[in-house]
Amino acid sequence: MTHRPLSRRGALRLAALSALLGAAGPAAFAQPDYPSKPIRLIVGYSAGGPTDVLARVLGQEMSLSLGQPVVVENKPGVNGNIATEFVQNAPPDGYTIIMNTLSHNVNPLLQPERIRYDPVKDFTPIAQVAVLPQIIVVAGDSPYKTLADLTKKAQTRPEAVSYGTAGVGGSAHLAAVLLEQRTKTRMNHIPFKGNGPALTEVMSGRVDFMFFPMIGAAEYVGSGKLRVLAVAAAKRHPDYPNVPTTTETGYTGFEDYAQPIGFIGPAGLPAPVVDKLDRAVAAALAKPAVEARLRTLGAEVTYRGPAAYRDWLGQDRARWAQLIQTANIKAE
């Protein structure tokens, strides 16, 4: 059974109040010196991307609660795996944590012979902070006016409809595979070296559509170079109030596959350390200015504390495992 997060505002206010009052219980004082030096926040992608920017925004706010700098370090490569393994092998003292994404659960499923960490057992969940919903976009002059137009074509002519992605196993690819399964179609996957080149081909009309993150699309939509067919979510997004969701078009559950953003550390992090980090995250997310900033980055604040995030990561892994197995997706 899927566990829904607590009311976001209620959970954040409670956690933020606990942070202010120090109401974390006796265990929180087991390590009174933590943190006594800067905390390294590892990001598995290059500087300037959405994950990096989110990490810097939240890291700066967390520093205010923790009384020590939260320093972002970029360790890009192998779809985030270099950074993940670095944190896996770090001392479990709370001074090295990572902002995890979809790849944390997906990488071991796609490359079990190469990536052997267990995404739940080998790490300590700290908090989930957001999800990154995607939109389904076509060229501004595309013949597909609705998602139904596109899926009808795919149903009548297998592989006649093409979609672009940033590569095998990425969020856009997996979302498109999910669409194939829900619509009982077979489409033509065209992977590129990044979202940018894929989007260029979609805007040109040489590729029919793609799933694209919220951030960076508004300019092209506003200029007429892109049209949004649907938002991959259960509720309409305030940035696209006139665009239907995938749920409205008859394809439910896409919100469960949205890109997660959270904080995790090595296995064995002491509970008082996890508690301090979690309360710093909650205090940051409770600030309206932070929520507004995350929204401009295409993120939807979705807070879960350590226990709830651990449960959710396990459920997320099972979802992706089923999709990857049934679709027979192989790493490049």
Side-chain angles (χ1 to χ4, degrees):
M1 182 175 68
T2 300
H3 295 280
R4 297 295 180 187
L6 297 173
S7 166
R8 181 179 59 76
R9 293 191 180 277
L12 294 178
R13 286 171 180 168
L14 178 60
L17 181 61
S18 296
L20 292 173
L21 298 179
F29 300 98
Q31 295 190 19
D33 292 340
Y34 178 82
S36 59
K37 61 181 181 180
I39 296 168
R40 305 168 74 185
L41 174 53
I42 309 301
V43 173
Y45 304 93
S46 300
T51 305
D52 173 74
V53 177
L54 285 167
R56 293 179 190 277
V57 170
L58 290 170
Q60 182 177 9
E61 292 295 332
M62 290 168 65
S63 299
L64 300 177
S65 297
L66 295 168
Q68 289 287 343
V70 177
V71 182
V72 174
E73 293 186 21
N74 300 92
K75 293 185 179 294
V78 198
N79 196 27
N81 191 59
I82 290 175
T84 302
E85 290 189 347
F86 178 82
V87 173
Q88 178 191 10
N89 296 315
D93 55 11
Y95 291 102
T96 305
I97 61 176
I98 187 172
M99 175 165 273
N100 71 288
T101 66
L102 172 80
S103 64
H104 178 76
N105 267 336
V106 168
N107 281 351
L109 295 171
L110 289 176
Q111 303 182 69
E113 71 291 340
R114 179 178 180 182
I115 299 172
R116 300 185 181 277
Y117 68 76
D118 185 299
V120 176
K121 294 179 181 179
D122 292 341
F123 297 88
T124 303
I126 296 167
Q128 182 178 357
V129 299
V131 295
L132 302 179
Q134 298 186 93
I135 52 179
I136 302 174
V137 297
V138 297
D141 59 356
S142 169
Y144 305 114
K145 307 300 182 184
T146 66
L147 184 57
D149 290 341
L150 188 147
T151 56
K152 184 178 179 180
K153 175 69 172 291
Q155 287 165 347
T156 56
R157 293 184 57 192
E159 296 193 351
V161 174
S162 60
Y163 64 89
T165 74
V168 173
S171 57
H173 178 213
L174 295 173
V177 170
L178 182 62
L179 182 63
E180 287 182 297
Q181 290 195 349
R182 295 290 166 84
T183 58
K184 296 180 173 58
T185 59
R186 189 171 72 251
M187 305 185 202
N188 183 20
H189 176 211
I190 305 177
F192 294 88
K193 299 293 184 182
N195 274 331
L199 190 65
T200 297
E201 292 301 293
V202 170
M203 289 190 292
S204 74
R206 290 185 287 269
V207 173
D208 289 315
F209 80 100
M210 72 178 294
F211 281 80
F212 194 75
M214 290 279 184
I215 185 171
E219 176 185 350
Y220 299 114
V221 174
S223 66
K225 294 181 179 179
L226 282 178
R227 180 188 304 128
V228 183
L229 297 186
V231 177
K235 298 179 180 179
R236 292 203 178 195
H237 196 276
D239 289 353
Y240 299 99
N242 298 320
V243 176
T245 66
T246 45
T247 297
E248 289 178 82
T249 57
Y251 308 122
T252 60
F254 273 79
E255 64 278 5
D256 292 331
Y257 292 85
Q259 168 96 273
I261 301 292
F263 292 101
I264 58 177
L269 276 186
V273 169
V274 174
D275 181 68
K276 280 193 175 183
L277 291 169
D278 172 44
R279 286 186 289 132
V281 170
L285 293 176
K287 297 180 179 180
V290 173
E291 181 181 2
R293 175 65 173 138
L294 297 189
R295 190 182 303 117
T296 66
L297 295 169
E300 182 178 297
V301 172
T302 306
Y303 169 79
R304 289 180 173 91
Y309 194 29
R310 176 178 291 277
D311 290 344
W312 188 88
L313 284 170
Q315 296 161 9
D316 190 57
R317 182 188 189 187
R319 281 191 291 266
W320 291 121
Q322 181 181 31
L323 180 65
I324 289 168
Q325 181 180 14
T326 57
N328 195 29
I329 301 172
K330 304 295 184 182
E332 293 175 310

